[in-house]
Amino acid sequence: MVTVLKNLDRQGQSFIPTHCSYCGMQCGMNIRIDDTSGKVVGVEPRYEWPVNQGRLCPKGVTAYQQVDHQDRILRPLIKKNGKFVESSWEEAYDLIEKRFKEIQSTYGKDALGVYGGVSMTTEKCYLVGKYARVALGTKHIDYNGRYCMSSAAGGFNATLGMDRGSTLPWPDLMHSDCFFLAGSNSAECHPTSITWFWRGRDRGAKLIVADPRETPTARIADVHLDLRSGTDSALANGIMHLLIKEGYTDNDYIEKRVNNFEELKRMVERFTPEFTSEITGVDKEKIIKAARIYGQAEKSVVMFARGVEQQRKGVDNVACYTNLALVRGQIGKFASGVATFTGQGNGQGGREHGQKADLLPGYRKLTDPEAVKYVSKVWGIDPSEMPGPGVSAYEMLDSINQGTVRGMHVICSNPVVSSPNSQHVTRSMEKLDFLVVNDFFLSETAELADVVLPCTTWAEDEGTTTNTEGRVIKINKIVEPRGKSKTDWKIMSEIAERMGRGEFFQYEKSEDIFNELRIASKGGKADYYGITYEKIEKNEGVFWPCPDLDHPGTPYVYEDKFAFPDGKANLRVVDWQEPGEMTSKEYPVILTTGRVVFHYLSGNQTRRIPFLMEQCPEPYAEMHPSLASQYHFSDGEVIELETRRANMKLKVRLTKAIRKDTVFVPYHWGKELAINQLTNPCLDPISRMPEFKVCAVRMRKL
Ligand SMILES: Nc1nc2c(c(=O)[nH]1)N[C@H]1C(S)=C(S)[C@@H](COP(=O)(O)OP(=O)(O)OC[C@H]3O[C@@H](n4cnc5c(=O)[nH]c(N)nc54)[C@H](O)[C@@H]3O)O[C@H]1N2
Ligand SMILES: Nc1nc2c(c(=O)[nH]1)N[C@H]1C(S)=C(S)[C@@H](COP(=O)(O)OP(=O)(O)OC[C@H]3O[C@@H](n4cnc5c(=O)[nH]c(N)nc54)[C@H](O)[C@@H]3O)O[C@H]1N2
Ligand code: SF4
Ligand SMILES: [Mo]
């Protein structure tokens, strides 16, 4: 079914269309293969793909270099006397079977934990959930998206009744009149999305950016709301105050489609521009200007990302920004609405089908007996065998210290780098009786493992992902698995066999898993029943929900009703609350963390790509010259940063493009270079998202 294109511009090379392995844009690309050697040798953007239309970012153009990279793990590794030794799959499986069974017979089934990730296809993500619950029979399963999309999910569930990251297709964006981007550095983190904003601007659209830093995204804004980290709900409530006061609300829409407006109106009364400015640190005039631009735009889109979500009040922040779109009557129509920028490639699809501690496929809830009954039937198990809800990612890692979890299988994540309070997490993981990690590059987490299982990269298997828009798309197999590596679904199925549960994991190809998932999700909120591989290929992807084979999919959600029983949206009425850690005399500076364009997440993939390392070899502490001068720091000087959890050394990078009370550090490095040694593991009470974006730090000259 995959089209192999020959000789487009180069003799002796073939091209296969697929999508990028990295962020939620899932840009379309053709991967080039050398016909003689069979090696992956290059990439071209796909001009016909609607989301990127011929553009790729620096990570996208080098992604192919992972496939035949010299650092690939090509055989299973077993740790013997502290050193990894290559082994056969049989030997690795023998050991895993023995240790998993020992742990479970001594401490019970829940003593094994599974920690998943969403850089995998939906088929694999779905199988991680089933593997934990059916093959291992444990309730302890969660995944790296807990650190990523969980607050967006919580905020959308609370206001709109469902967690689809975007209410509209993104090529629409160029027809919008106003973009309100909060806590999103799209120019560096979703670079190909910028074109939609530029094209909108060419038609006169306005751009508002809320970010403590003047990022490349903020630099092109009409208004830059340079707020203090951790004050988003105050800012959004302040804008809401003005929308109401200046008569920008769509009262007809509110009357017909929205609950709780009167209550919200009362609550935001005190969020005057003066009060809002005092909390957020943003100039009052800028707040007024932003509210007027947003209020006057006929078609507007509110978009946000981890800047607002990775906070103790991440769910509330998402809800407060979503409230703005609701009172303006923007959700459910062309070129308007609300969207979060999906982080990882399959951050959307990978969270819908049961990798989360409390969810089953199709967003069914583990606490709903009907849902358990339905999915048990699809899986062929008795409902009484279905484990209950487990705990969130950080809590699962922390529970190792209580001896609750004793063995763990990490599939597609590098939690010792990406978790908050990472020295504590590293020490915790070192205490595990037995750790298995699936990866294709030896990550900092894999280094701690007893067994490392070599999996394939995204180019060696087919399957689906769901992009940031909610469009289900097809990843194609480019080449055969390298060395002795296997796809994650094969590995999970074979371990299931060893655990005596092989009958539930009889798949020959990815599509078999997809077809089971279609049924498992049928009738759920994220209903994939009507989506097939063939339909995806024919239609440039299919937007879920898609309940029937003849259903065209749903590019616009909420056109007529929201996903609550009464069909109405619920404004969430929440006051501003302080972040978990405020600055003090002892820790006087705000520390925030995030990304640079050249690296991806824990860096385990991008730190191996020469071009990306040349551009950005090491982390740094970005700060304003006026803050640096108080400490007599100069550009490039190595200083010490310290929070209540740990300290570390970093180079100073001076820039005027940041608030004078804030330091920013990118988090793509491990061990002593990991900024997560310092971050605060304080969790949002609903999403259990750690507060990566705000903590209090002190700095010292060395
Ligand atoms: N180059 C690159 N691209 C990526 C990734 C990557 O690692 N590298 N990762 C992907 C993934 S998984 C994700 S989740 C996304 C993340 O994409 P983004 O969320 O856009 O990236 P971040 O850098 O984490 O944070 C965004 C911005 O939030 C700002 N910020 C900090 N504190 C606050 C606050 O309190 N309020 C507000 N409003 N803003 C604040 C920061 O200054 C930063 O500019 O990117 C995806 N794309
Ligand atoms: N301080 C701070 N910390 C953060 C954040 C922040 O903004 N600030 N952001 C958080 C966010 S949004 C995220 S998404 C997390 C990400 O945190 P992690 O999940 O730890 O990050 P990755 O580097 O994506 O780790 C994925 C690992 O899986 C491997 N891998 C890739 N594809 C596959 C595959 O198909 N199968 C298998 N088995 N392995 C694969 C990669 O080589 C890599 O080692 O970090 C979070 N941590
Ligand atoms: S924007 Fe995202 S999906 Fe597109 S090329 Fe860059 S990393 Fe890949
Ligand atoms: Mo993420």
Side-chain angles (χ1 to χ4, degrees):
M1 191 188 295
V2 176
T3 338
V4 179
L5 311 165
K6 288 276 180 197
N7 303 336
L8 281 192
D9 63 350
R10 265 162 245 239
Q11 296 286 329
Q13 292 186 352
S14 308
F15 300 72
I16 297 182
T18 190
H19 297 271
C20 179
S21 62
Y22 294 122
C23 86
M25 293 300 290
Q26 288 293 281
C27 295
M29 52 169 60
N30 293 317
I31 303 254
R32 270 206 245 138
I33 313 150
D34 182 88
D35 288 342
T36 319
S37 69
K39 292 231 186 255
V40 169
V41 290
V43 66
E44 321 264 301
R46 276 165 67 185
Y47 287 86
E48 89 295 353
W49 185 251
V51 186
N52 61 311
Q53 298 185 353
R55 282 170 293 268
L56 293 174
C57 81
K59 290 184 304 308
V61 294
T62 50
Y64 76 91
Q65 293 176 11
Q66 298 173 88
V67 183
D68 289 310
H69 196 285
Q70 64 198 27
D71 294 353
R72 279 287 298 269
I73 310 170
L74 297 174
R75 276 167 195 75
L77 303 174
I78 296 179
K79 201 175 269 164
K80 294 181 179 161
N81 303 319
K83 274 217 167 90
F84 284 120
V85 180
E86 288 191 348
S87 81
S88 66
W89 280 96
E90 282 309 300
E91 197 189 338
Y93 284 153
D94 285 346
L95 182 61
I96 292 170
E97 177 186 342
K98 177 168 168 279
R99 298 297 285 125
F100 275 8
K101 285 182 175 168
E102 278 171 5
I103 289 171
Q104 290 198 314
S105 64
T106 316
Y107 303 105
K109 295 222 157 161
D110 292 336
L112 289 182
V114 177
Y115 194 106
V118 287
S119 281
M120 295 185 287
T121 59
T122 305
E123 288 79 350
K124 290 170 187 162
C125 293
Y126 161 82
L127 211 64
V128 173
K130 181 173 174 186
Y131 167 72
R133 295 177 179 118
V134 177
L136 306 181
T138 177
K139 69 171 185 181
H140 282 123
I141 154 129
D142 211 50
Y143 79 118
N144 66 6
R146 181 68 67 173
Y147 296 163
C148 186
M149 305 311 296
S150 63
S151 291
F156 286 145
N157 282 329
T159 49
L160 311 178
M162 185 169 83
D163 167 26
R164 202 185 88 177
S166 175
T167 66
L168 75 164
W170 286 21
D172 260 31
L173 290 170
M174 66 175 161
H175 303 289
S176 183
D177 304 315
C178 172
F179 311 105
F180 191 149
L181 303 188
S184 154
N185 182 8
S186 10
E188 291 199 71
C189 298
H190 299 85
T192 57
S193 72
I194 285 293
T195 182
W196 304 119
F197 309 130
W198 287 103
R199 281 159 83 169
R201 300 267 315 254
D202 288 347
R203 296 176 27 260
K206 295 278 195 284
L207 175 64
I208 303 163
V209 173
D211 196 305
R213 301 187 301 141
E214 195 192 21
T215 59
T217 318
R219 216 166 294 148
I220 55 170
D222 295 279
V223 193
H224 173 207
L225 304 166
D226 50 347
L227 80 175
R228 203 173 278 133
S229 281
T231 62
D232 287 275
S233 55
L235 180 69
N237 284 343
I239 305 261
M240 179 64 79
H241 173 100
L242 288 164
L243 293 181
I244 294 170
K245 192 173 144 214
E246 303 204 349
Y248 295 125
T249 54
D250 181 340
N251 297 333
D252 191 41
Y253 184 96
I254 293 173
E255 175 70 35
K256 288 201 192 96
R257 305 201 53 185
V258 178
N259 293 319
N260 308 337
F261 183 58
E262 288 307 317
E263 212 183 327
L264 178 70
K265 210 163 146 181
R266 278 194 298 278
M267 196 275 296
V268 300
E269 238 162 63
R270 75 188 185 102
F271 283 88
T272 59
E274 293 74 19
F275 179 65
T276 306
S277 167
E278 203 178 292
I279 297 176
T280 60
V282 181
D283 181 45
K284 177 179 108 177
E285 295 309 320
K286 286 207 250 176
I287 299 171
I288 296 171
K289 186 172 173 194
R292 290 189 180 147
I293 291 177
Y294 180 69
Q296 286 163 11
E298 196 188 318
K299 300 189 289 305
S300 59
V301 191
V302 179
M303 300 174 79
F304 35 79
R306 302 313 85 74
V308 315
E309 298 165 15
Q310 290 172 329
Q311 299 186 28
R312 181 173 80 105
K313 289 283 150 191
V315 170
D316 287 350
N317 292 341
V318 165
C320 288
Y321 283 113
T322 304
N323 287 347
L324 299 176
L326 284 170
V327 304
R328 284 283 304 132
Q330 293 292 325
I331 299 182
K333 56 179 208 182
F334 173 70
S336 1
V338 60
T340 183
F341 287 86
T342 297
Q344 299 168 81
N346 198 23
Q348 176 74 57
R351 73 180 186 265
E352 298 161 358
H353 301 291
Q355 249 195 127
K356 241 175 162 168
D358 57 341
L359 291 183
L360 289 170
Y363 280 140
R364 286 186 160 89
K365 288 201 174 106
L366 259 174
T367 45
D368 169 5
E370 283 306 308
V372 171
K373 219 160 99 192
Y374 179 79
V375 175
S376 299
K377 190 162 168 236
V378 178
W379 287 352
I381 62 169
D382 192 86
S384 65
E385 289 180 80
M386 184 77 84
V391 294
S392 75
Y394 184 80
E395 293 166 294
M396 181 160 70
L397 297 172
D398 194 35
S399 77
I400 298 167
N401 294 295
Q402 286 84 55
T404 323
V405 170
R406 303 216 162 224
M408 190 172 278
H409 193 169
V410 175
I411 305 171
C412 194
S413 185
N414 188 8
V416 303
V417 177
S418 57
S419 298
N421 200 9
S422 60
Q423 287 187 7
H424 170 74
V425 166
T426 308
R427 286 190 298 266
S428 307
M429 292 196 80
E430 281 167 352
K431 287 185 200 152
L432 284 167
D433 294 345
F434 192 61
L435 174 62
V436 182
V437 174
N438 292 13
D439 211 312
F440 44 78
F441 291 139
L442 197 71
S443 67
E444 287 78 0
T445 304
E447 283 178 28
L448 303 181
D450 297 285
V451 181
V452 181
L453 300 176
C455 62
T456 51
T457 66
W458 98 116
E460 292 147 85
D461 188 20
E462 69 170 351
T464 63
T465 62
T466 302
N467 79 357
T468 189
E469 305 166 286
R471 192 195 298 253
V472 181
I473 59 176
K474 179 80 195 314
I475 304 295
N476 291 320
K477 180 169 168 178
I478 312 295
V479 289
E480 289 304 315
R482 297 320 201 194
K484 298 281 177 201
S485 67
K486 296 186 183 203
T487 66
D488 293 286
W489 65 260
K490 192 115 218 158
I491 297 171
M492 288 184 271
S493 304
E494 289 175 351
I495 296 179
E497 186 77 48
R498 296 298 196 111
M499 299 304 282
R501 305 290 275 177
E503 62 184 293
F504 304 103
F505 293 82
Q506 296 297 319
Y507 309 108
E508 272 169 22
K509 52 188 190 310
S510 244
E511 196 169 5
D512 299 340
I513 305 173
F514 190 73
N515 285 332
E516 182 182 298
L517 174 161
R518 289 174 48 219
I519 299 168
S521 73
K522 188 175 161 64
K525 281 185 173 167
D527 192 332
Y528 276 44
Y529 183 69
I531 307 176
T532 61
Y533 280 12
E534 208 181 341
K535 196 158 156 184
I536 295 172
E537 303 242 344
K538 238 191 240 154
N539 297 299
E540 295 184 326
V542 180
F543 288 80
W544 71 261
C546 182
D548 286 304
L549 286 170
D550 53 11
H551 190 287
T554 315
Y556 301 90
V557 268
Y558 318 124
E559 269 182 304
D560 336 293
K561 58 181 172 49
F562 291 97
F564 287 109
D566 69 356
K568 285 185 163 189
N570 289 326
L571 293 165
R572 190 171 166 86
V573 184
V574 281
D575 210 330
W576 176 69
Q577 277 184 22
E578 287 181 351
E581 207 171 69
M582 292 291 275
T583 52
S584 60
K585 226 169 134 193
E586 249 187 300
Y587 299 95
V589 178
I590 300 170
L591 171 65
T592 192
T593 65
R595 296 159 166 77
V596 294
V597 67
F598 299 110
H599 285 288
Y600 191 64
L601 304 177
S602 77
N604 190 37
Q605 289 160 276
T606 49
R607 278 185 270 125
R608 298 173 199 272
I609 306 291
F611 167 74
L612 301 175
M613 276 308 267
E614 275 163 32
Q615 300 301 313
C616 186
E618 59 187 7
Y620 47 82
E622 187 179 293
M623 67 184 79
H624 197 279
S626 89
L627 178 63
S629 73
Q630 290 171 35
Y631 294 82
H632 308 287
F633 295 159
S634 51
D635 198 30
E637 180 178 347
V638 177
I639 60 156
E640 186 187 82
L641 293 186
E642 181 173 23
T643 64
R644 288 181 175 84
R645 284 136 318 263
N647 61 46
M648 69 184 289
K649 295 186 180 72
L650 278 168
K651 264 190 196 159
V652 169
R653 179 179 288 190
L654 295 183
T655 172
K656 287 187 179 158
I658 187 166
R659 287 181 60 88
K660 293 173 185 167
D661 52 10
T662 304
V663 172
F664 169 85
V665 183
Y667 89 102
H668 312 288
W669 288 265
K671 298 182 181 163
E672 68 283 353
L673 294 179
I675 189 59
N676 270 328
Q677 299 174 98
L678 271 57
T679 50
N680 187 0
C682 163
L683 305 180
D684 180 292
I686 297 168
S687 66
R688 318 307 283 164
M689 166 72 88
E691 194 151 58
F692 291 117
K693 287 295 184 268
V694 207
C695 69
V697 67
R698 65 177 169 220
M699 307 191 288
R700 195 166 69 89
K701 213 173 162 74
L702 288 173

